[in-house]
Amino acid sequence: MTILRHLVSLFLTVMLACEAGAIEIPAQRDIYRIGPNDVIRVQVFGEEELSLERKVEGDGKIDYPLLGTVPAEGKTVQELQQYLTSHLASGYLRSPKVSISIVRHRNFYVSGEVKTPGGFPYEEGLTLQKAIAMSGGLTEKSDRTEIRVNRVIGLVAASLRLDPDALIMPDDLIMVSQAQKFYVNGEVRKPGDYPYEKGLTVHKAITMAGGFTEKASKGSTKVLRSVNGQEETFEIPLDSLTYPGDIIVVPQRFF
């Protein structure tokens, strides 16, 4: 029975260790995958002719002395380091000490409502907030709640909504949408267009437009809304929700 309890305890210990390892977040050095246009530095201790910089070509490979064409795309720094170490040790060097670093990363991209959209050189530790700052920051028309990052994960393209302090990766495409708007016309103090926000009621929309004028017919507020591609007009209670593109019209009272 003592042996059985010992085996059960050992089994649980191993399971907990495996679970802890499964949720461990890898360092960025380990998750970064080398790709075309990265510039890498290879250093081999005591071998100057084998210590050099190479740009990863469009086919994902580099030319390297003794070994010829070396596949680099898709590998982490550690994996490429192991690849070169094992191949150099196969008939070329005895116990080679290889170190690899990335001198210049490939670009990430920002499009949409930023002041200077385009491609920018990636740097380790880059966050979404800093990436947008590098593109000049958001424009006045930007929708700060609708910023998405298009990223290829494995062979699958994904559209992600990330926190401002989330890490950006090379080849990411950050897309900043234009803010959706609604419109208020008629007997309000500041008619015009306003940025839409989720959960906005008609009453709050009118408040954003300065509130009713003295001539407003508060109980006859109407909304023009596109429904299935057709524009419809109907009276709407003040506690109803508004939608992007709505045109809220406050008519004048005649008594």
Side-chain angles (χ1 to χ4, degrees):
M1 184 64 67
T2 302
I3 295 176
L4 179 60
R5 285 200 298 268
H6 176 72
L7 290 174
V8 171
S9 177
L10 179 61
F11 174 76
L12 291 174
T13 301
V14 172
M15 289 297 294
L16 289 172
C18 290
E19 289 180 4
I23 62 175
E24 183 180 355
I25 299 174
Q28 192 162 19
R29 172 185 169 89
D30 298 326
I31 64 175
Y32 184 91
R33 298 285 172 177
I34 296 170
N37 296 319
D38 280 338
V39 178
I40 62 176
R41 177 182 292 122
V42 181
Q43 292 179 302
V44 183
F45 180 75
E47 302 289 339
E48 291 187 6
E49 68 278 8
L50 298 179
S51 299
L52 41 78
E53 291 184 6
R54 285 289 187 269
K55 178 181 178 181
V56 181
E57 302 297 337
D59 60 0
K61 300 176 181 178
I62 62 171
D63 290 326
Y64 191 75
L66 301 180
L67 303 182
T69 301
V70 172
E73 183 176 9
K75 290 182 171 62
T76 64
V77 168
Q78 184 65 31
E79 288 169 348
L80 183 57
Q81 191 169 288
Q82 292 171 350
Y83 179 95
L84 291 179
T85 299
S86 63
H87 282 69
L88 287 173
S90 300
Y92 297 103
L93 299 176
R94 178 179 296 177
S95 301
K97 294 179 174 60
V98 180
S99 175
I100 293 179
S101 59
I102 299 179
V103 179
R104 187 172 69 249
H105 298 83
R106 58 196 187 273
N107 285 352
F108 69 93
Y109 303 88
V110 188
S111 69
E113 291 298 330
V114 291
K115 294 178 182 177
T116 54
F120 302 88
Y122 170 82
E123 56 189 51
E124 291 189 11
L126 181 70
T127 64
L128 176 59
Q129 185 175 28
K130 185 174 180 180
I132 291 175
M134 290 171 67
S135 65
L138 302 173
T139 68
E140 295 179 355
K141 297 180 180 179
S142 66
D143 185 350
R144 288 164 170 75
T145 66
E146 191 59 32
I147 299 175
R148 291 193 172 272
V149 177
N150 290 350
R151 176 179 299 168
V152 176
I153 304 174
L155 298 177
V156 180
S159 179
L160 310 174
R161 181 176 290 176
L162 302 179
D163 293 331
D165 58 352
L167 292 177
I168 293 300
M169 299 299 290
D171 295 327
D172 276 356
L173 172 59
I174 303 168
M175 302 183 66
V176 182
S177 300
Q178 186 173 6
Q180 297 175 305
K181 294 183 178 182
F182 67 93
Y183 306 84
V184 187
N185 292 327
E187 291 299 328
V188 291
R189 300 186 187 281
K190 295 187 292 184
D193 58 84
Y194 294 89
Y196 172 79
E197 57 188 55
K198 191 174 182 179
L200 184 73
T201 64
V202 174
H203 184 268
K204 185 175 180 181
I206 291 173
T207 301
M208 292 171 67
F212 294 107
T213 68
E214 296 177 355
K215 298 179 180 180
S217 178
K218 300 179 182 180
S220 302
T221 301
K222 295 179 173 59
V223 64
L224 280 69
R225 179 178 296 163
S226 178
V227 180
N228 297 324
Q230 300 293 323
E231 189 173 90
E232 298 184 10
T233 303
F234 45 89
E235 289 191 4
I236 188 168
L238 295 181
D239 59 355
S240 296
L241 292 176
T242 63
Y243 294 92
D246 275 359
I247 302 175
I248 300 169
V249 180
V250 180
Q252 181 179 356
R253 59 183 172 85
F254 295 102
F255 54 87

